[in-house]
Every structure is written in C-alpha cells, then in structure tokens.
Amino acid sequence: MGKTIRLTAAQALVRYLGAQMNEAGEPFIAGVWAIFGHGNVAGLGEALHGVKDSLPTYRGHNEQTMAHCAIAYAKQMCRTRAMAVTSSIGPGATNMVTAAALAHVNRLPVLIIPGDVFATRGPDPVLQQIESFGDGTVSANDCFKPVSRYFDRISRPEHLLTALPRAFRTMTDPADCGPATLAFCQDVQAEAYDYPESFFEPRVWYQRRIRPDEGELARAVAAIKVAKRPVIVAGGGVHYSGATDALQSFVETHNIPIVETQAGKSALAWDHPLNLGPVGVTGGEPANAICAEADLVLAVGTRLQDFTTGSWGLFSNPEREMVCLNTAAYDTEKHGAMPLQSDAQVGLQELGASLAGYRAGAVADTLKSDWYGKVDKLTNAPSDGNALPTDMQVVGAVQRISNDNTVVMCAAGTMPGELHKLWKAPRPGAYHMEYGFSCMGYEIAGAMGIKMAQPDRDVICFTGDGTYMMANSEMASAAMMGISFTVVITDNRGFGCINRLQMGTGGAEFNNLLDHAVHETPSAIDFAAHAAAMGATSVKVASIAELEGALAKRNDIKGPYVVVIDTDPYPSTEYGGTWWEVAVPEVSTRPAVNEKRAAYEVAIKERNTK
Ligand SMILES: Cc1ncc(C[n+]2csc(CCOP(=O)(O)OP(=O)(O)O)c2C)c(N)n1
Ligand SMILES: [Mg+2]
C-alpha cells in the first residue's frame, strides 16, 4: 500500500480541490465562497483557513447570491474554471437550492458544499435539522437532489475518495455539466482518516470533445446537402465548446446564416453578414423570418427552450428538417430532430469537411438593414422632455458609451428581451445573459463573478428595480473587495415586464407595479442611497443625456458604480418577437380574458398542426 496522510475530511477536501487543474494548468476551482455556521465553521472553515493563500475563501452576504457569483464566473470562463460555495446546514443550505437549479438549467459547473447533520445522529435533532417522521436518512439537503447533476452525502471520511472525482467529472464533462453537491456531515468534516497521498496528486481535467458517430454525421450531411434554405441556431454550447471560430468558418464556407439564442448571442459579431441576429420570442424580424421559412434547422449547442422555438410555433415550414448537434445526447432528439451528438467545434469541422462544395442560396440583405434601422430608431430616439425615458433609450445610451471591451449582463425583467433584440455585441463573450432560469437577483452577484473571471473587462450590469430588490447584498461584498463594475438600474417602480404580460393575456393590471399593489404609502425607494449605503458609488440621473454622462465616468471609479434612472414601465420593443405560449384562463367573467383565450386556442391549433 502507498503512503497515507492523516487529515480531517475537511482538510482532505480542500487539499483535493487545490490539486485539480484545467487544461491550461490553472486550478479548476478558483476560490470558495463561504458563509459559516455551526454546520461548517469548525470543520471546513478551519480547513479553508489552512489553504487560504493558495485557495482563496470569500465571505459573501447571502448563500444564493454567492452561488450566483460562482456560476456567473464559470459561465464567463466558458466552464473552464469554477468556484465552490459552502454553507452551514438548514437555511444556509436551502438558500443555495435556487442557485443550484440555475446552474442545472444552464448546464454550468459549481461545487456546492452545504453542511449536513451529524452522521452519528448523537445530538439529534441539532439546530436547523429537518426531522422527517418517515425517513431517517432525509435532511434539508435532499432538496438539492433534483437540481444537482451529482449529489452525494459525505457521511464517512473515505466517501471523499469516490465522491470528489465524481463531482469533478460531472463539472468538467461537457454533456453532464452542472452543479455537484456534496452534503458534508458536520462531524465527518472534523473526523480524521488516513488518506492515500496519491489522491492529492495534481490531476488535469481535459475537455472531452466527442466526435460525431459516422452514421449520424452521414445522415446530417445528406439532410443539409439537399437543403435550399438552411439556418443555424447558435446556442450557448458554441461558446462553451470554444467553437466561435469554427462556426464562422463553417458559415462563410457554406453561406449558411445563423441566428442566436440568448446564451448563444455574440457567437458571431452582430455585423457579420451571416449573423441574422436574435431568434425567437425576444428575437428580431430577420432571424424569425428565416426560421419560419427554413427547410433545414441546424441547432448547435442549444436546449431549444420555448423562447428560442416560439413554443415550437416558429420553425413552421412543413418541409422542415431539424438536426440537433449537441454534446449531450438528451438534447439531440428534441421535437423529432435528427441527432448529431458531438462537441460543437469538432462537429462543425467534420460537417464542414463532408459538405465540401455545398453553398446555400443568398440571404436577402435588406432583412438585416431594415431591422437595424428600426433598432437604431428606438435606441437613439431623441428625448421627449416630458415623458419618462424608455428602456430602449437606456439600451441605446449604454451602447453608445460601450466599446469592444464591454461585457453586458442581465438575467430577468424587461432588459433580457430588450438586450436580445437591440444589443449589438461586437465579439464573442461580450454578452452574458442568464436566461435558462432567468433568475431575478442573479445580476449584481453575477456581474461580480464576471469581473472576477475577466478583471480587465468593462462589465455593465442591467437590472430592474424588482430584481435589484430581490437580491443586492453582494454589492457590499464587491465594495469591500474592490471589484469594479457598473450597474444600471432602470426604476419603473415595479415588475414592468410581468405587468405587460398580464395585460397581454387579458388580465387587469394587478399586483405587479407598486402602485397596483396593496399599499398605504406609495413606495419610493432611493436606489442610489441604498447602493451608497453598501459602499457603492452611485448617482441618480434625470435623462438619457445625463445617463450617458454618468456612464462615461465609469472607468475612474473603483468598486461597484450604480447609475439609477427612472423609466416608463409601459413601452417595450414591439418589432420582432414571435408567439410564446402562456396559458390563458378557459373561463372568465372578464371579456378581455375571453378574447385572449380565443386567440390562444387559435395559436395552439396552428402550432399543433404544423
Ligand atoms: C426569482 C424570480 N421570481 C420571479 C420571477 C418572475 N419575473 C420575471 S421578471 C419579473 C419582474 C422584474 O421586475 P424588474 O426587475 O423591475 O424589471 P422590469 O420588467 O420592471 O424592467 C418577475 C417577477 C423571476 N424571473 N425570478
Ligand atoms: Mg421594474
């Protein structure tokens, strides 16, 4: 037997984390976000202190948002690095369940280490312990099971010998990628064991690049070769695979236009002639027109969620074939698609080699110029002295002060749709949108994670008042750690996008805008003062011109910089878009609802007969 080393399980875990490398020779786990409690302070906390110079520990303010920061970091790093997040048992742990779900939906790596109850059960029930009457093995951490790609409970020190490699395999496997949760029993963290020294030898986790199966490739090639009007739907997998160059050379060789999902946006520069821009419910007219007519849809690295497919109403050519190129087998057969399981980069290269000589027909270039003419009109609209600015004008102001180094980010509210439609992303990675879970409260922590991933980038976060109110406390972490990014708060005094959706489904305006909510005193939140209280530099501006002026100063400011502007909750970009299925009540006493229900039934029928 080889040499062993006596360590507590917590010491073993942190030592193992430090030895896991990515292909570039960097530690795969860049740092650990931690909020301690009785479930992790003595065990894991003490162990983390021992390695703090090589594996930094960061102190957050909320477990969910610490995890959002970690997830945004991994997304911006295209999954080549990740962070760990640890909490105590009970509420600290369950606070991370939402973030785990976010990482699960978006296929992003994060190592979640909640403390767990005593494996010995000696002191049961401990503070914060859930007691299941019918199952002695259940703890609060069982909530992570459906939202983790790998879940394990470390109830003996030697469990780490199998659990940790599985967790890393999961986080570094492009197909399985997602959150790995190791629920770490409090007593086990502190328990010593003779670990084999070989367990801690440095290990490199290489990105697996699955090559296409010959038969799948041949069938996909045959389908593409006969296509007259093919289109590529570029998803997040294009970025994660590092396939943006491969995509560009593929489309240029074969003259195939691309359209971009929220996660795929910036796969090609916005002004590349073959980039027809945003697709789907938050998409533009060029992309949606080409998708409606396409006889072949090549979906690359996309989960094909409803915002992309227009609830499967968009790809409406009756002759249409769909090929799903995806590293995850699960995604390759959606909606009867022809599977092409492969890494995006390698898959595009191999498809390209087999398609030699194939070129699709020309795409009308007026589609794009018409669209961007409309975009510019909205984003550059002159201020109407009396009216509140629109969110589109805010996008325009930010676009004008941005440059090639800027990364814009967002997750929920009005802005994801506006940015998808209107933002002109100049290069891959310039657009970071969490629209798999579209989780309110991702933004501020996420912006911090992006800046930690790419300290030289100019990170600009868009957030509505609603999502700011849901989770903002990592602003204080960013201020404390001197992490610089810009936050644009569009304050329309409520949940503007949901209010519009409510009206769009025949509903009465109710419980979304603050004025329409039960209140005694009208809500008037001073966001600039609030952000300043947490250590941010902040300013409230009264116009689009002032917004531009304030944003132009952002490079001189250290730490988070918050610019607040009041906007009109009602207008949004009406151009573009496509049907989105939102269920409307079948019976109602309100005529507006009945009218929308009738339209809904027509739309479903149309979709189902395509
Ligand atoms: C955690 C969470 N809760 C609820 C929702 C549903 N939702 C999506 S956007 C939104 C309102 C966002 O309001 P705000 O941030 O002010 O953006 P606005 O549309 O007003 O610009 C709500 C409630 C969500 N996406 N995430
Ligand atoms: Mg709002």
Side-chain angles (χ1 to χ4, degrees), residues 442-459:
Y442 174 83
E443 285 85 350
I444 287 160
M448 177 165 64
I450 295 169
K451 189 70 180 180
M452 291 174 88
Q454 296 180 326
D456 297 334
R457 294 287 187 205
D458 166 38
V459 178

Side-chain angles (χ1 to χ4, degrees), residues 535-558:
T537 305
S538 65
V539 59
K540 171 136 191 198
V541 297
S543 67
I544 292 294
E546 279 187 28
L547 174 64
E548 272 188 71
L551 290 174
K553 295 184 189 140
R554 69 194 183 284
N555 292 335
D556 304 331
I557 290 158
K558 176 89 178 142

Side-chain angles (χ1 to χ4, degrees), residues 36 130 142 175 243 280 283 302 340 405 494 551 601:
F36 297 140
I130 302 284
D142 284 76
T302 165
L340 181 57
N405 197 38
L551 290 174
E601 286 179 11

